[in-house]
Amino acid sequence: MNDFHYHTPHSLAEAFALLRDFGDDIRIIAGGTALVLFMKQRLAQPGHLLSLQKIPGMDGIAATRSGIQLGAMCTHRKVETSPLLGETVPLLCETYRHVATVRIRNMATVGGGLVHADPNLDPPPSLIALDAQVVLASASGQRTLPVEELFLDYYETAMQPGEILTQVLVPPLPPNSGTAYFKFLPRTADDYATVSAAVRLTLGEDGGACEDVRIGLGSLGTTPIRARQAEAVLKGQRITPELMHRAGEAAQGEVDPLDDFRGSADYKRQMAGVFTRRALERALQQAQDRP
C-alpha cells in the first residue's frame, strides 16, 4: 500500500473543498471494507483519503412524511438491527442481514457500498425494488437519483466529480404490499451470491390483481438490474403460479451473467428465473397476509 494523507473534515463544506483541491488524487473512505482492499492490491493508489466519519448527521435513520432517510454513514449492522426499519421497511433489515459477516456489517456503510458499485452486493436489488433514491451533494447543490440509475458499469457510477452520496431515501410501502429478498450462496456467508432477487409486490384494494411490482436482480450482469419485462408480465394481472413462471422466464431474458467459479452463465440465467419466482411467491403471500 502506498503512503497517503488522511483528512477528517468536520463538515460537508470542508469535504467539498478537499475534493476540489486534490481532484483525482483523493478518494472518499467510509467504512473502508472495499477501498482498503483495493489499495492493498494496488488497484487504487490515492495520495489522499477523505474520511466522512466526523461529519455530523451522516449516520442517522429517520422517518419523515416522505418515507425513510438513511444516512450514508449508517453501518449495515445499524440498518439490520433498526427497530424503526423493522416496523416500516423490514426488507431493509432482511437484506442487510444477508451481507457477509457481522464483522463486515459493523464496518461497511450504506453509502460506501453503493458508491463501490459492485454488482454482486446484496443491498442494491432490494433498494431498486423499494424505489429508493440517493442524494448526491456537491459544492453547487444536491440532486436525487433513483438507485437503479446510479450504476453504469462494473465499479462505475453516475456520480460526478466533487459529489458525495449523503443519504438514501426510501418511500413508504404502499398498502397491500409484500416484499422479499432471496440469494444463493455458493460457498460461505462472506462470499458473493451466485444470484439474488428482491421484489416489492402491491395488490389492489380487493387483494386480487397486481397493482404494482418492482423486481431487482443482483450478480447477473455488470450492474444490478431492474427486471422491467418481468414486471410487465405481472402488472394488472391476477397473480397465479403460471403467471409467476412467465415472469421468471422474462427475467431470464433480461440478465447477462458471466461465467465464473460461482456458476456458468447459463446456470445463472436459469437461477434468475427460479429466484424471481421464489421472491414473488413470498412477496405475494406477505401481501395477502397483511390486514
Side-chain angles (χ1 to χ4, degrees), residues 7-37:
H7 304 271
T8 56
H10 289 76
S11 69
L12 283 173
E14 291 180 45
F16 296 145
L18 288 165
L19 291 175
R20 180 197 63 220
D21 291 343
F22 296 108
D24 293 339
D25 198 30
I26 191 168
R27 293 286 296 271
I28 296 173
I29 185 167
T33 54
L35 180 57
V36 170
L37 288 177

Side-chain angles (χ1 to χ4, degrees), residues 74-285:
C74 281
T75 65
H76 288 26
R77 182 68 170 164
K78 186 171 183 177
V79 174
E80 171 193 354
T81 60
S82 167
L84 173 61
L85 297 180
E87 293 178 2
T88 56
V89 196
L91 180 62
L92 288 177
C93 301
E94 178 185 358
T95 301
Y96 279 89
R97 189 177 300 120
H98 278 86
V99 177
T101 63
V102 171
R103 179 177 63 85
I104 296 296
R105 295 197 296 273
N106 277 326
M107 291 298 298
T109 64
V110 170
L114 292 175
V115 171
H116 184 46
D118 189 324
N120 301 298
L121 297 181
D122 293 286
S126 289
L127 291 170
I128 289 171
L130 291 169
D131 197 17
Q133 295 185 316
V134 292
V135 177
L136 305 177
S138 69
S140 58
Q142 67 179 36
R143 62 187 177 114
T144 58
L145 193 69
V147 168
E148 65 204 74
E149 296 179 14
L150 177 65
F151 310 105
L152 300 180
D153 207 336
Y154 267 121
Y155 306 113
E156 182 181 346
T157 72
M159 293 180 65
Q160 299 298 315
E163 286 188 325
I164 297 174
L165 195 158
T166 58
Q167 286 185 326
V168 177
L169 309 177
V170 183
L173 285 178
N176 307 312
S177 292
T179 60
Y181 177 71
F182 277 91
K183 68 185 287 190
F184 175 68
L185 280 172
R187 299 188 300 178
T188 61
D190 57 352
D191 193 12
Y192 287 139
T194 299
V195 58
S196 64
V199 166
R200 190 212 71 195
L201 175 67
T202 302
L203 300 178
E205 291 185 5
D206 62 352
C210 170
E211 184 175 282
D212 192 26
V213 62
R214 291 178 64 94
I215 302 171
L217 302 174
S219 301
L220 292 165
T222 59
T223 68
I225 296 164
R226 181 177 174 192
R228 294 179 182 272
Q229 294 176 32
E231 294 171 2
V233 170
L234 300 163
K235 287 182 180 178
Q237 305 297 315
R238 184 171 293 274
I239 306 299
T240 64
E242 191 277 334
L243 196 67
M244 287 188 283
H245 184 81
R246 284 174 49 200
E249 290 181 334
Q252 290 178 215
E254 298 185 75
V255 301
D256 187 21
L258 300 174
D259 293 306
D260 60 27
F261 65 88
R262 297 183 185 91
S264 69
D266 287 341
Y267 174 72
K268 292 179 183 179
R269 191 171 289 109
Q270 292 185 40
M271 291 285 276
V274 171
F275 276 75
T276 296
R277 292 197 301 272
R278 289 182 182 178
L280 284 168
E281 289 167 359
R282 178 181 287 181
L284 175 63
Q285 186 64 56

Side-chain angles (χ1 to χ4, degrees), residues 27-59:
R27 293 286 296 271
I28 296 173
I29 185 167
T33 54
L35 180 57
V36 170
L37 288 177
F38 271 37
M39 292 174 66
K40 286 183 176 179
Q41 296 167 356
R42 296 191 176 276
L43 297 174
Q45 299 185 60
H48 299 263
L49 290 183
L50 189 164
S51 171
L52 302 178
Q53 291 285 350
K54 293 187 177 182
I55 299 177
M58 292 277 286
D59 63 349

